[in-house]
Amino acid sequence: MLQSRHLLSGLGLSLMIATLSANAAGLTAEHKAFGKTNDGTPVEQYILRNSHGMQATVITYGATLQSLKVADKHGKFDDVVLGFDDVQGYQKGTAYFGATIGRFGNRLADGAFELDGKRYQVPQNDKSNALHGGTLGFDKKVWKAEETKDKDSVGVTLTYLSADSEMGFPGNLTTEVTYRLTDNNELRIDYKASTDKPTVLNLTNHSYFNLAGAGNGDILKQVATLHASHYTPVTAKLIPTGELAPVAGTPMDFSKPTAIGTHIKADHPQLKFAEPKQGGFDFNWALDTKGDLSKVATEVSDPQSGRHLQLFTTEPGVQFYTSNFLDGTVKGKGGKVYPHWGAFTLETQHYPDSPNQPNFPSTRLDPGQTYSHSVVLKFSAK
């Protein structure tokens, strides 16, 4: 298992020790302290930069993408992901800003599933559902970390050992998440995991994006394309019905570039399930790319800043969520307020509630197998 770098302390004061490395491509990585959790556990921060000025910052609390600075069409950099300036913000937060989600991303009906005839119970934290791994998921753990680099990228690999029966899931599970920044303005996230007992697993990243800059208004005019001809409709409890329904003729049709706000308030029962008062998107789209990492799965552009995001993934689905429950009460980085519909997520994943849905792609992981999952976020501006 990878070992974390240890922060030095003396005279009762934590020293902000930074290490800086670089490779031939002009990519650099900086490593320093990011404070401590409430129980005194040190949290570290890794700042990855490329030669164009793009910067990705990852913290060991929740293996979280804490910041992502990207240039607009005028060359001005802004942070395009929501988050906090200190560990305590993440400890108190309930929105999963930027976090690695596990063991099971998205929802499990009644927090339960069966495996080989045995029923397992995960703590319910979304009414009757278990959401994103239960009450203390991977987003609330401090991961071990080590810098990684090669001739084309600079990055950080984070590891976490989830003990057998943690949050009700079977098996000792070793998970590894690697963030890599390239000089092509790509941030790549690779996941690997192995278990010593049969289990279920569905990892993802829960970054909230606003291409105009985090805290800079809503995302209703930003234009999304989801290369998916079907989605998984849900019940009022936001659990899939088991159907793969066509998006054609519904507000879920983003097969062509469509402003996110165009149909977000449409009078459609699915949108009311996602957010009863005003509507919104919180659904899994079944991607037509079918795990081909060379094909664009989703893309979003911001007409004002010119920023453009292309997402590639090996996963069969993506949860497109429009931050329906942000309400302007959360203050994030720099004291900025995060408004309703102030960001979107693109959570690459297997489908929600898959262990209870026999027709969905399997999320089972057995001993001797290696779970793997990759996603590439490519940024440009024009």
Side-chain angles (χ1 to χ4, degrees), residues 344-361:
F344 61 87
T345 74
L346 294 171
E347 303 158 57
T348 58
Q349 59 179 13
H350 273 54
Y351 304 164
D353 198 40
S354 286
N356 301 314
Q357 304 278 352
N359 294 325
F360 284 1

Side-chain angles (χ1 to χ4, degrees), residues 66-105:
Q66 187 255 341
S67 172
L68 188 61
K69 294 180 179 178
V70 180
D72 68 6
K73 61 186 177 183
H74 302 297
K76 179 182 178 293
F77 284 84
D78 211 337
D79 190 350
V80 298
V81 296
L82 278 57
F84 299 103
D85 287 322
D86 55 37
V87 178
Q88 281 63 44
Y90 290 97
Q91 282 196 278
K92 293 185 294 185
T94 59
Y96 306 94
F97 289 149
T100 294
I101 300 299
R103 288 191 189 190
F104 202 92

Side-chain angles (χ1 to χ4, degrees), residues 265-288:
K265 297 181 181 180
D267 185 15
H268 191 283
Q270 289 287 297
L271 299 186
K272 298 300 182 184
F273 290 160
E275 209 287 272
K277 293 181 180 179
Q278 300 184 64
F281 298 103
D282 188 10
F283 307 104
N284 168 72
W285 273 256
L287 293 167
D288 294 338

Side-chain angles (χ1 to χ4, degrees), residues 119-287:
R119 179 182 171 91
Y120 295 91
Q121 184 67 53
V122 180
Q124 296 161 318
N125 59 334
D126 178 53
K127 298 181 180 178
S128 62
N129 305 320
L131 177 66
H132 295 332
T135 49
L136 285 174
F138 287 4
D139 60 296
K140 299 298 185 186
K141 306 295 183 179
V142 178
W143 296 53
K144 295 183 178 181
E146 186 173 273
E147 184 186 319
T148 181
K149 57 185 175 183
D150 55 36
K151 64 183 181 68
D152 297 317
S153 68
V154 64
V156 57
T157 295
L158 304 106
T159 58
Y160 177 67
L161 173 61
S162 176
D164 185 23
S165 298
E166 184 176 281
M167 291 290 102
F169 292 95
N172 293 295
L173 182 83
T174 300
T175 300
E176 179 180 288
V177 180
T178 301
Y179 291 86
R180 292 184 177 90
L181 181 65
T182 77
D183 225 26
N184 294 323
N185 290 337
E186 295 173 341
L187 180 66
R188 176 171 176 145
I189 310 173
D190 293 294
Y191 303 81
K192 289 184 179 179
S194 59
T195 182
D196 63 0
K197 290 182 182 178
T199 192
V200 296
L201 187 64
N202 193 24
L203 303 175
T204 192
N205 177 272
H206 208 293
S207 289
Y208 287 67
F209 296 95
N210 184 334
L211 297 181
N216 292 344
D218 63 45
I219 43 84
L220 299 183
K221 293 182 180 179
Q222 295 179 27
V223 177
T225 308
L226 307 180
H227 297 285
S229 53
H230 292 78
Y231 78 108
T232 52
V234 296
T235 67
K237 293 184 176 181
L238 297 180
I239 295 297
T241 63
E243 178 187 8
L244 282 179
V247 299
T250 77
M252 274 58 77
D253 190 353
F254 285 88
S255 57
K256 296 180 180 179
T258 304
I260 293 171
T262 302
H263 301 297
I264 202 167
K265 297 181 181 180
D267 185 15
H268 191 283
Q270 289 287 297
L271 299 186
K272 298 300 182 184
F273 290 160
E275 209 287 272
K277 293 181 180 179
Q278 300 184 64
F281 298 103
D282 188 10
F283 307 104
N284 168 72
W285 273 256
L287 293 167

Side-chain angles (χ1 to χ4, degrees), residues 186 223-229 254-257 285-301 308-318 346 348 374-380 382:
E186 295 173 341
V223 177
T225 308
L226 307 180
H227 297 285
S229 53
F254 285 88
S255 57
K256 296 180 180 179
W285 273 256
L287 293 167
D288 294 338
T289 49
K290 301 185 184 302
D292 188 340
L293 197 61
S294 69
K295 296 180 178 179
V296 178
T298 69
E299 45 196 316
V300 184
S301 61
H308 185 71
L309 165 61
Q310 293 178 305
L311 181 145
F312 307 77
T313 182
T314 58
E315 290 297 278
V318 63
L346 294 171
T348 58
S374 296
V375 59
V376 176
L377 305 168
K378 184 175 177 62
F379 289 87
S380 59
K382 58 183 180 180

